Amino acid sequence: MSDTTRIDDLVVLGRAAPEPISDGRHTVCLGGYSEEVGYVRLYPTQKRMTQCRRWNVVSVLVEHAKPDDHRKESYKIQGSKENWDQLHTKIKKVGRLSKAERIQLVDQLAGDCTGRLNETHTSLGMVKPFEIIDYSLEERDDPTYQVTLDGRRQEGKNEYPHKLYLTYRCEECAIKGPHRQHCIEWGIYRYWDKYDDPEGVCDALKLTDSRYQHYFFVGNLRHQPTAYIVISDLRFSEKDMLNAGISVDDQSSLDDW
């Protein structure tokens, strides 16, 4: 692939909670999948990019994120820094997956284990947990925020008083014990902005509803490449799974806001 290339078939699988950086921008990490390229991480993107809703298919001109990020799946939008104010014009929505297409794509991609992803230095993957053991909120000891160069306060996920952790076992797991990973799906923080009920997010994610099949879109951290987090919890009802021709597992387990 050349230094700059256009990806025309990028399916948006999730966006992490926005984060502030010191120059005053709020940035969002987007993850998706392209039949041509494979998994793609786009960073930074803007909060206001409505064309980047989950399940949209987008076309975008990208370049590799190196030297800032050596993960092979990491890209940045061409001209993302110098053309920041116009960045939203650089991504075009070209389609949107139907519900059946979403389920078929995710089930096709599923089968990863973060243990194996780590061994192969792969930074993104799709996990299909056969058992969700626990979902729990942890309180932050010291919620923090960043201050821009001109002294303005910028909020990010680290200022929220809670963190959601998911503990699960995946199919054909490569490690002995269960996985326990921080979930940073943007929808969680939007829920907490709207409702004064931190634990209610577990119901919103359908984690308490055994009639839903969950898939975890996972990724590692740039500065901690052996540590993986859940970017998105992709969940489908038994009825929708069967309608898409996918068998439903016996699994204990936010819609796209």
Side-chain angles (χ1 to χ4, degrees):
M1 183 180 296
S2 62
D3 290 341
T4 302
T5 190
R6 178 166 293 280
I7 303 175
D8 285 318
D9 64 343
L10 180 59
V11 178
V12 180
L13 295 175
R15 301 181 77 194
E19 285 294 317
I21 53 180
S22 58
D23 63 5
R25 294 180 292 169
H26 257 93
T27 63
V28 179
C29 182
L30 179 153
Y33 182 79
S34 159
E35 288 285 350
E36 180 179 353
V37 177
Y39 283 115
V40 171
R41 175 189 293 102
L42 271 186
Y43 181 87
T45 66
Q46 297 172 325
K47 294 170 62 176
R48 66 184 180 182
M49 287 177 168
T50 57
Q51 67 271 49
C52 293
R53 289 182 61 204
R54 186 188 296 167
W55 307 124
N56 281 358
V57 185
V58 298
S59 174
V60 57
L61 188 65
V62 301
E63 55 192 34
H64 277 288
K66 295 178 180 180
D68 299 327
D69 187 340
H70 289 278
R71 295 171 293 184
K72 66 180 184 296
E73 297 85 3
S74 294
Y75 299 85
K76 57 185 178 180
I77 302 172
Q78 193 275 329
S80 61
K81 188 168 185 178
E82 56 268 32
N83 302 127
W84 177 255
D85 290 340
Q86 299 300 316
L87 199 65
H88 61 285
T89 67
K90 293 178 175 287
I91 297 184
K92 180 182 179 181
K93 177 183 173 183
V94 295
R96 183 168 174 82
L97 297 191
S98 68
K99 188 168 291 186
E101 289 172 331
R102 302 170 193 178
I103 295 171
Q104 290 163 0
L105 173 64
V106 170
D107 197 70
Q108 168 196 325
L109 295 175
D112 292 323
C113 169
T114 52
R116 288 193 296 273
L117 293 176
N118 181 45
E119 291 174 357
T120 57
H121 306 290
T122 305
S123 72
L124 292 170
M126 188 70 67
V127 173
K128 184 180 183 181
F130 75 85
E131 181 185 16
I132 299 177
I133 299 170
D134 187 34
Y135 33 87
S136 57
L137 296 184
E138 276 194 8
E139 291 190 8
R140 293 185 185 275
D141 295 330
D142 54 345
T144 59
Y145 59 88
Q146 295 189 25
V147 177
T148 65
L149 296 177
D150 60 1
R152 291 185 292 112
R153 173 173 170 162
Q154 282 203 301
E155 298 180 356
K157 68 176 184 292
N158 290 334
E159 190 170 346
Y160 285 78
H162 299 96
K163 299 185 288 184
L164 175 65
Y165 280 86
L166 302 174
T167 303
Y168 66 92
R169 298 181 190 276
C170 60
E171 295 182 333
E172 300 180 7
C173 192
I175 67 173
K176 293 182 178 180
H179 301 276
R180 184 175 185 271
Q181 292 163 351
H182 185 195
C183 184
I184 61 170
E185 180 175 321
W186 191 358
I188 292 171
Y189 301 89
R190 296 180 68 182
Y191 179 94
W192 286 336
D193 285 337
K194 188 174 181 180
Y195 301 105
D196 186 20
D197 177 20
E199 294 183 358
V201 76
C202 297
D203 290 329
L205 285 166
K206 308 299 183 185
L207 293 170
T208 57
D209 192 334
S210 61
R211 296 169 298 178
Y212 278 76
Q213 174 74 58
H214 294 257
Y215 298 83
F216 296 155
F217 179 41
V218 299
N220 71 355
L221 304 176
R222 182 176 59 171
H223 298 300
Q224 295 177 274
T226 62
Y228 285 77
I229 47 86
V230 177
I231 302 168
S232 281
D233 170 26
L234 308 173
R235 50 218 171 260
F236 307 103
S237 70
E238 291 180 354
K239 179 180 178 181
D240 288 335
M241 294 279 291
L242 292 172
N243 287 341
I246 306 296
S247 61
V248 180
D249 294 339
D250 180 15
Q251 180 198 52
S252 57
S253 64
L254 301 178
D255 294 314
D256 187 14
W257 299 325

